Amino acid sequence: LLFILPILLFAQALRFPKIKREGTNIAPVNSAWKVIRQIEPDLDGESIFSLRYHADGKSVIIGTTNFNLFRIDLESGKKLWKAPAKMMYQKEFDGPEIFDVSYDGKHFLSFGMSNPEVQASERFLVLRSANNGNILKKFPVLQSLFYSERAAVDYRHPGTEEEKRREEDGIGFNWIMTIDSAMFIEGGKKILATYKHNMDGPHFYDRRLIIYDTSSGKKLQDFQLVADPETANFDQPGGFEIGHFQFPYAYSSSNKSVLFGTSHGRIHEIDESIMTKNFNTPLIEDKACGKIIYIPKSDSPDLDIKDRQSVRGLAISPNGKNIFVSAGTEGGYIQFYAFN
């Protein structure tokens, strides 16, 4: 009883209020979101694609759909600087993503091109100066290491002859990874980045987690996404039967570990030893997947399988003790979970 009581109290504390499904639900005026002030940023008429607040709390870094970067003063709306971030291939609604701003406000993470004349060199990780937007460090273009015997998939580099043949024939390089997102960790000393396969469509399973040293740019750890043994079907690439459209992850400073959610409805935790073991194992079927720390289980009577909700979002509370997860199905059903 003494063991169960704290768990029950924790569950009570995290229980969400019941909302009436009939009639009107009027939120208290004092608790409603309010627009304090509207700012018209000087973006030369360009549209905002992404933004991140600067650590000074007085400015914001913006990426536009014209593939330019701006730093805007929040008090006046004036631009402090403008820098280009052009891409050869641009989608219908696209622009430079501002992944993260460093704790000291000196740098920010985004993406760039290693060779402006080659489309396959697009969207690799760059470290930029928050003072003028200039690129300070270019991280190397990542090549896929995905290799599965049961699914008959091999995206590893095929050699210089095959690379040349594909280039001459105008065929895409199917061994290239592209940056997906990145964040500063360990007080800005390291960078945690996620990569996905350069080709969309059926390649969502080919994802990697990389940890870099910020100062040197050296790769410290490398982890290939793989399904957990309980739900894995390795006749499918990576063991996943459900596409990985999102790859939610977070870094636990207290545990020195990475948490991530999968399309199979599992929350994994991996540390340095697991990442090393995973990287040193070539075959995807044999790779370590990490420890399963939570499985969001639906209480909906409409779902036959309660524990296979794709994880859509994941966050750790500031004190590092609680984790919040959103998970759901393709049919649009979604639930929010919190656990210790």
Side-chain angles (χ1 to χ4, degrees):
L1 181 61
L2 292 176
F3 172 75
I4 295 174
L5 185 59
I7 298 176
L8 293 175
L9 291 174
F10 175 75
Q12 284 288 119
L14 290 175
R15 184 170 295 172
F16 293 94
K18 290 185 177 182
I19 305 297
K20 291 188 300 181
R21 296 182 181 274
E22 292 82 22
T24 57
N25 288 294
I26 301 174
V29 177
N30 294 333
S31 67
W33 288 92
K34 297 179 181 178
V35 177
I36 298 177
R37 184 164 58 91
Q38 290 185 336
I39 301 167
E40 295 186 9
D42 180 12
L43 298 174
D44 298 337
E46 300 177 17
S47 299
I48 296 174
F49 178 76
S50 67
L51 63 86
R52 287 277 180 177
Y53 285 103
H54 190 270
D56 63 5
K58 301 176 181 179
S59 60
V60 64
I61 298 176
I62 295 175
T64 70
T65 54
N66 291 63
F67 281 85
N68 287 309
L69 297 165
F70 293 81
R71 183 171 173 184
I72 299 295
D73 177 72
L74 288 174
E75 183 66 31
S76 64
K78 294 181 179 179
K79 65 172 174 278
L80 303 177
W81 51 256
K82 177 181 179 180
K86 299 300 180 182
M87 293 284 115
M88 181 185 295
Y89 174 71
Q90 299 179 13
K91 303 173 186 177
E92 185 175 353
F93 180 72
D94 199 5
E97 188 75 42
I98 315 299
F99 295 131
D100 199 9
V101 179
S102 64
Y103 299 81
D104 58 12
K106 294 181 179 179
H107 312 112
F108 69 97
L109 298 169
S110 186
F111 60 67
M113 293 185 71
S114 58
N115 184 348
E117 305 301 321
V118 180
Q119 182 180 322
S121 73
E122 284 189 342
R123 312 206 183 209
F124 67 106
L125 182 63
V126 295
L127 180 74
R128 289 180 177 267
S129 168
N131 292 327
N132 51 29
N134 291 344
I135 295 177
L136 301 176
K137 193 180 301 295
K138 298 179 180 181
F139 294 81
V141 176
L142 206 64
Q143 294 184 355
S144 177
L145 299 176
F146 194 93
Y147 170 50
S148 171
E149 289 184 349
R150 283 180 55 179
V153 176
D154 189 350
Y155 287 143
R156 295 173 298 179
H157 188 271
T160 53
E161 290 186 9
E162 175 64 14
E163 180 178 343
K164 184 178 180 181
R165 184 191 71 80
R166 293 180 71 92
E167 187 174 4
E168 291 174 349
D169 294 344
I171 304 174
F173 294 168
N174 67 347
W175 56 87
I176 299 295
M177 305 287 285
T178 184
I179 186 68
D180 189 29
S181 64
M183 65 170 67
F184 290 102
I185 61 173
E186 299 295 325
K189 296 179 181 179
K190 297 178 182 179
I191 297 168
L192 173 60
T194 64
Y195 287 81
K196 61 182 180 179
H197 199 280
N198 194 41
M199 297 180 178
D200 291 336
H203 304 90
F204 289 113
Y205 50 80
D206 190 5
R207 292 182 180 269
R208 302 250 293 282
L209 283 158
I210 311 289
I211 296 179
Y212 296 103
D213 177 77
T214 305
S215 179
S216 65
K218 179 183 177 182
K219 185 175 73 172
L220 303 175
Q221 300 293 332
D222 192 332
F223 178 88
Q224 172 78 52
L225 177 65
V226 60
D228 64 288
E230 182 184 345
T231 67
N233 174 10
F234 284 109
D235 291 335
Q236 301 295 324
F240 292 105
E241 295 178 329
I242 304 172
H244 235 291
F245 297 101
Q246 298 97 359
F247 186 41
Y249 69 100
Y251 183 75
S252 171
S253 299
S254 56
N255 290 359
K256 307 294 182 185
S257 63
V258 181
L259 282 69
F260 62 86
T262 72
S263 60
H264 279 192
R266 301 295 188 269
I267 307 297
H268 298 235
E269 183 178 25
I270 56 175
D271 56 16
E272 183 177 323
S273 63
I274 292 294
M275 295 184 80
T276 300
K277 183 179 179 181
N278 175 285
F279 179 74
N280 291 332
T281 306
L283 190 64
I284 190 74
E285 288 88 330
D286 297 333
K287 285 182 177 290
C289 73
K291 180 174 60 176
I292 308 300
I293 61 171
Y294 185 68
I295 302 174
K297 294 184 179 181
S298 173
D299 56 8
S300 171
D302 299 326
L303 298 181
D304 294 330
I305 301 175
K306 307 295 185 184
D307 67 341
R308 197 64 70 87
Q309 297 181 97
S310 296
V311 179
R312 310 301 175 91
L314 188 154
I316 301 177
S317 61
N319 62 9
K321 294 182 179 180
N322 302 324
I323 299 174
F324 303 92
V325 175
S326 63
T329 65
E330 292 181 359
Y333 181 83
I334 194 165
Q335 278 189 305
F336 188 76
Y337 302 84
F339 68 97
N340 191 307

